[in-house]
Amino acid sequence: MGIKERRAREKEQLRQQILSAARELFVNEGYENVSMRKIANKIEYSPTTIYLYFKDKTALLDSVCKETLLNLLETLEQLKRDTTDPVETLRKSGRAYIEFGLKYPQDYKLTFVIRPQFQKDLGLEEGSVGEKVFNYLREMVSECIRQQIFRQMDVETTGQVMWSAVHGVTLLLIDFPDFPWTERDELIDTVIQTTIAGLRA
């Protein structure tokens, strides 16, 4: 490995170190209580170093959330899309979404709960990674409508119905782990299957 490649790798490692520290502090102490200096202290670098990588705290939060959405999109795209049975693909996608959120609860809450509180949007604007995640879901429900498995409904509404279901159960399971839930897999499957059943033609 040459000097240029080594420096690029070290730069990316430091960037990831900054993101990991920021993610942990944002969740544990609250975004509004975290300063760039506090993040710098955690990784034992000067604040000046962090500003070489990120313009400000907002940019840092955006980067943390963008990475989460990229990982979620990659998780969904690894699923085999079966156009002969789009309902099964949608079911698998819904479960993968929920399992992702439960596996990375801090990242999930930062992206869908904490960030919107301070930036007043969900990061789903045109061309964003968030939009690509939602487009994946939109394509799945659109195929179900096209094949007349689902009622002839507005694709946007149908997609939002599906997302509301999987997002809702994900957040409830994260926020209330001590609630006497029924068996987790059964609950998740029932939420997804009931939502799909309600959309069928």
Side-chain angles (χ1 to χ4, degrees):
M1 180 183 296
I3 295 176
K4 185 177 180 180
E5 289 79 8
R6 185 180 299 111
R7 285 178 177 170
R9 185 180 66 177
E10 289 172 352
K11 185 176 180 180
E12 179 57 24
Q13 287 174 341
L14 178 54
R15 182 179 180 277
Q16 289 300 322
Q17 196 176 347
I18 294 168
L19 288 172
S20 295
R23 180 183 294 111
E24 182 179 339
L25 288 170
F26 288 158
V27 170
N28 293 337
E29 300 188 18
Y31 173 76
E32 68 277 20
N33 298 318
V34 176
S35 64
M36 296 291 264
R37 180 173 296 278
K38 186 173 284 189
I39 296 168
N41 289 341
K42 185 170 180 62
I43 62 173
E44 299 181 343
Y45 276 87
S46 71
T48 305
T49 301
I50 296 184
Y51 283 111
L52 294 174
Y53 290 81
F54 302 97
K55 177 183 175 183
D56 52 28
K57 193 170 71 167
T58 299
L60 189 46
L61 179 60
D62 280 343
S63 293
V64 169
C65 295
K66 183 178 179 181
E67 280 205 347
T68 298
L69 289 168
L70 281 169
N71 290 335
L72 175 56
L73 183 61
E74 182 180 351
T75 297
L76 293 173
E77 289 184 335
Q78 285 176 353
L79 295 173
K80 183 177 181 295
R81 296 195 192 190
D82 183 359
T83 56
T84 62
D85 190 354
V87 170
E88 179 62 13
T89 300
L90 184 60
R91 187 195 66 76
K92 288 179 180 177
S93 298
R95 172 165 273 283
Y97 180 102
I98 296 168
E99 288 177 347
F100 178 89
L102 297 179
K103 185 177 180 180
Y104 306 105
Q106 290 187 348
D107 294 19
Y108 190 87
K109 288 200 69 174
L110 271 177
T111 303
F112 293 108
V113 179
I114 295 174
R115 182 189 178 280
Q117 290 176 5
F118 294 94
Q119 299 189 20
K120 309 305 179 187
D121 65 69
L122 282 168
L124 303 180
E125 59 273 5
E126 186 175 352
S128 67
V129 181
E131 186 195 37
K132 291 179 182 177
V133 172
F134 191 74
N135 279 343
Y136 179 95
L137 178 60
R138 187 186 284 116
E139 289 168 10
M140 296 299 96
V141 299
S142 179
E143 184 63 23
C144 290
I145 294 171
R146 190 188 70 80
Q147 294 191 27
Q148 299 182 343
I149 299 168
F150 285 178
R151 298 194 302 276
Q152 291 300 311
M153 295 174 59
D154 175 65
V155 172
E156 197 71 21
T157 301
T158 309
Q160 290 179 16
V161 166
M162 195 68 203
W163 183 44
S164 296
V166 295
H167 172 68
V169 73
T170 302
L171 205 54
L172 283 168
L173 288 171
I174 290 173
D175 279 347
F176 302 103
D178 297 326
F179 183 82
W181 301 108
T182 60
E183 198 277 323
R184 196 182 81 171
D185 285 340
E186 181 180 355
L187 175 65
I188 292 170
D189 286 340
T190 302
V191 167
I192 294 171
Q193 290 167 5
T194 302
T195 305
I196 289 174
L199 295 169
R200 284 185 178 272

